[in-house]
Amino acid sequence: MPAERRTLDATPAGEPHFCHNRREYTPGVAAVSTIPSPGPTAVPTPLSAEEPDAATLARTAEQTASTLLAPAAPHRLADVVPAPQHVQPDPTADWALPADAVIVASADPAALAVAEQLAQLLRPATGYPLPVTDATRPEPAGAIALVLDGSADLGAEGYSADLGAEGYRLDIATDGVRVTAATAAGLFYGVQTLRQLLPAGIESPSPVTARWALPGGTITDAPRFSYRGAMLDVARHFFAVEDVLRVVDHLARYKLNHLHLHLTDDQGWRIAVDSWPKLTTVGGTTEVGGGPGGHYTKADYARIVSYAAARHITVVPEIDLPGHTNSALVAYPELAPDKTAPPPYTGTEVGFSYVDPADERTYDFVADVLGEVAALTPGPWLHIGGDEAFKVKGEVYTGFVERVQRIVADLGKTVVGWHQLAPAAHLDGRVLQWWGTNGEDPTTVDAVRRGARLIVSPGNHAYLDMKYAPDTPIGHDWAGLIDVRKAYDWDPGTHVAGVPAEAVLGVEAPLWTESVTSLADIELLLLPRLPAIAELGWSPRASHDWAGFRDRLAAQGPRWTTAGITFHHAPEIPWPTAPTIPTQRTTPQPDTAKP
Ligand code: TNX
């Protein structure tokens, strides 16, 4: 286990220490924790088996009480990742969540669902009941209100704005909090902002005592790009549904709205296809390194899709064609150019396999597979891969791609593919995912001129499988090292020379998993770079500022620590050195957190 994942939590002597994995309150005693320490500069103190004496306990209680009773300054209204579009602080209008607060929502199922999600976020740490009611009842004073309002100009005073389908306005005043949006997605993003403005202790899975204060003022916010995504490669290593759902949670926190699942590759086929059952029963049983692999049943996949949808995230399934298909050829040798089954592949080379583009049976296979995947997928996109098919060249390659693009269109879906698709004929709406490392790419520019739109995923900025530094225990370095600044300091709107910003649909951070074998590995590579990419996708370019981002990102560390999430303690980020988590309650409160 890499050092990041087993650390000694340090606590300055005499200060209360809340140890999450053991759920106990140990004044002045450091504890071995399986969650990361708050920062690289934390100084470990020795473990002590001694009980604190009465005087120490009394002093601790006094210090704790004075910390908790002091009107702790809430976060600043602008301390949010991704940076909001417009922030108007009002220091006279701070608000504190009362224990009897009510969450009121517009009488609309989608708005009420967001209200219930907010309650579920707040109940575990606060221990408050936080009942959810609809707005047909009178709005009680001190409530958090979630209001669907499609007609109003949501701009704040002196700042008029069309907040579009995903925007929201958050008003925090002494007499209550209100999120207003035209859609449930907007309300959901307002809730994510509200969550970050509360103290880090709000991420605790069990009750802690804190003053649950929010900074007064108004935020008006909307995304820069409509497509903000991350990709998880579940083919090189297979990940259980629960792991994928947890990744969805991470995306949701940072207002990402697409999860691209790389479902098939040489090393394994991960999605059940009824008409070609051996894809999973044979092709799904391998993975990199010789592990058992696995696959999603249709019910598993539907569970991921609906969990993501409830968080306003659209799943983009990828069936990689015509290359990266060894696992399919093992299952169905008739698809192979020489009609012979290749041996199963568990290495990490690319570019050697392909389905036979000269055989009509291949197109039956493609139509059947894409048809079943499309039927399971409510979102508009079908990703057909297209990368690194080194043995399918020239017109044979473009001819194959053009046929597959038409199959996708006939299914009523929009084609997405890696930018190697560029030379193929344009088809209405098609989207290329650009993963180059050099922003000069005339072939892609030409495809854009013919109508293609781009999702930008530069290998040397957005690839989450690249190492942070030479000593990162997992990951690649073929596109260079990507520290947090490298992940943050680029502009999706201008990155590919000659592609106008209007052609850029958005940004995506792919995570390839050749060396990634566990959820902790996934989180180590995702955090803290995912929020950097999320900010590029959401925040106005004018807000781009490394120094400010670094500070706002640093404040996420205690949140991840409190929630038990692994992350890389990137040395360029000024992580807080002391836990900001207050004491665990001594009097147990009812746990209303269970869904
Ligand atoms: C290139 S990026 C690939 C993947 C590898 C990745 C490793 C792309 C479209 N293809 O097959 O997993 O590099 O970083």
Side-chain angles (χ1 to χ4, degrees):
M1 182 177 278
E4 277 93 342
R5 274 169 264 143
R6 184 167 288 277
T7 58
L8 202 59
D9 272 359
T11 307
E15 278 186 24
H17 178 79
F18 178 56
C19 177
H20 306 282
N21 57 329
R22 291 216 234 125
R23 305 265 176 277
E24 62 192 20
Y25 171 49
T26 45
V29 177
V32 173
S33 166
T34 52
I35 51 178
S37 71
T41 51
V43 184
T45 53
L47 281 171
S48 160
E50 281 173 26
E51 289 296 320
D53 61 23
T56 307
L57 278 176
R59 200 170 52 246
T60 305
E62 196 184 323
Q63 281 170 353
T64 306
S66 63
T67 316
L68 296 175
L69 296 176
H75 284 66
R76 290 180 320 141
L77 194 62
D79 287 346
V80 177
V81 179
Q85 190 182 86
H86 190 257
V87 178
Q88 283 179 323
D90 180 353
T92 67
D94 291 354
W95 181 80
L97 180 75
D100 60 355
V102 174
I103 299 176
V104 186
S106 294
D108 171 284
L112 284 161
V114 179
E116 190 50 49
Q117 286 169 320
L118 172 61
Q120 285 177 14
L121 286 176
L122 304 184
R123 284 176 190 144
T126 62
Y128 300 164
L130 299 169
V132 171
T133 70
D134 70 52
T136 51
R137 302 172 209 193
E139 193 176 308
I144 302 179
L146 303 186
V147 181
L148 272 184
D149 184 346
S151 59
D153 173 1
L154 299 180
E157 218 182 298
Y159 183 79
S160 174
D162 172 9
L163 298 179
E166 295 184 297
Y168 67 91
R169 170 175 167 153
L170 170 63
D171 291 293
I172 301 168
T174 41
D175 59 348
V177 169
R178 176 182 285 253
V179 184
T180 315
T183 63
L187 293 179
F188 184 81
Y189 297 133
V191 161
Q192 300 312 313
T193 294
L194 192 161
R195 176 188 193 184
Q196 283 190 29
L197 291 171
L198 286 162
I202 202 65
E203 300 294 338
S204 169
S206 57
V208 293
T209 303
R211 186 165 176 274
W212 303 114
L214 286 173
T218 295
I219 288 177
T220 25
D221 201 8
R224 178 179 179 198
F225 293 108
S226 63
Y227 189 107
R228 307 176 303 278
M231 187 204 81
L232 182 64
D233 168 9
V234 294
R236 269 50 178 275
H237 281 100
F238 179 68
F239 296 94
V241 171
E242 267 67 27
D243 295 345
V244 179
L245 303 188
R246 175 129 156 165
V247 169
V248 169
D249 289 339
H250 299 338
L251 267 56
R253 258 177 206 272
Y254 299 106
K255 305 186 176 85
L256 294 165
N257 63 358
H258 287 84
L259 172 67
H260 167 186
L261 288 175
H262 182 76
L263 290 166
T264 65
D265 214 304
D266 292 317
Q267 299 87 346
W269 187 284
R270 308 301 179 206
I271 179 74
V273 178
D274 295 338
S275 52
W276 296 73
K278 288 192 283 185
L279 289 171
T280 48
T281 58
V282 175
T285 59
T286 45
E287 63 184 354
V288 167
H295 71 272
Y296 305 121
T297 64
K298 288 191 165 180
D300 290 337
Y301 179 80
R303 197 172 149 220
I304 294 169
V305 166
S306 73
Y307 187 90
R311 286 147 188 84
H312 302 278
I313 291 171
T314 301
V315 170
V316 182
E318 178 186 352
I319 304 297
D320 202 346
L321 297 164
H324 289 276
T325 40
N326 198 76
S327 62
L329 306 183
V330 175
Y332 291 101
E334 67 201 86
L335 300 173
D338 61 0
K339 311 299 166 202
T340 310
Y345 187 68
T346 58
T348 60
E349 296 299 316
V350 296
F352 56 89
S353 63
Y354 61 104
V355 290
D356 185 357
D359 192 327
E360 279 307 303
R361 191 79 182 119
T362 292
Y363 299 94
D364 295 340
F365 162 78
V366 170
D368 290 344
V369 168
L370 293 181
E372 290 194 36
V373 173
L376 289 173
T377 303
W381 320 105
L382 263 192
H383 198 305
I384 59 169
D387 58 316
E388 298 172 325
F390 299 142
K391 296 194 170 168
V392 188
K393 299 181 171 68
E395 283 172 13
V396 179
Y397 175 82
T398 52
F400 175 88
V401 167
E402 286 160 12
R403 277 190 76 168
V404 177
Q405 288 184 160
R406 276 195 299 276
I407 291 171
V408 172
D410 289 347
L411 290 166
K413 298 292 185 187
T414 300
V415 177
V416 189
W418 299 106
H419 73 264
Q420 280 68 30
L421 258 50
H426 182 64
L427 182 114
D428 241 10
R430 78 173 181 150
V431 175
L432 305 181
Q433 183 168 8
W434 189 84
W435 59 283
T437 53
N438 167 358
E440 303 288 328
D441 183 346
T443 313
T444 295
V445 171
D446 183 59
V448 168
R449 210 171 289 127
R450 289 182 283 129
R453 291 169 297 165
L454 281 198
I455 295 168
V456 276
S457 302
N460 54 343
H461 292 283
Y463 265 37
L464 298 173
D465 55 312
M466 293 304 131
K467 291 172 182 270
Y468 294 92
D471 64 352
T472 307
I474 50 174
H476 301 134
D477 60 8
W478 66 259
L481 300 170
I482 303 183
D483 61 14
V484 185
R485 183 163 194 169
K486 182 103 180 162
Y488 179 74
D489 261 347
W490 61 285
D491 179 0
T494 59
H495 192 76
V496 186
V499 170
E502 311 82 73
V504 177
L505 207 57
V507 57
E508 183 179 295
L511 177 56
W512 301 99
T513 60
E514 286 93 335
S515 68
V516 175
T517 60
S518 66
L519 178 64
D521 285 353
I522 292 175
E523 290 181 341
L524 184 79
L525 292 174
L526 227 62
L527 299 170
R529 290 181 293 197
L530 186 73
I533 303 296
E535 178 144 324
L536 297 182
W538 180 280
S539 305
R541 188 63 195 168
S543 72
H544 192 86
D545 165 37
W546 166 246
F549 176 70
R550 229 173 47 175
D551 290 345
R552 285 181 289 108
L553 185 62
Q556 303 298 305
R559 290 170 186 276
W560 299 328
T561 301
T562 308
I565 299 167
T566 300
F567 65 103
H568 169 61
H569 293 91
E572 67 269 41
I573 305 301
W575 308 107
T577 51
T580 56
I581 306 128
T583 55
Q584 188 173 23
R585 253 198 242 296
T586 42
T587 329
Q589 301 286 310
D591 182 357
T592 52
K594 303 278 175 293

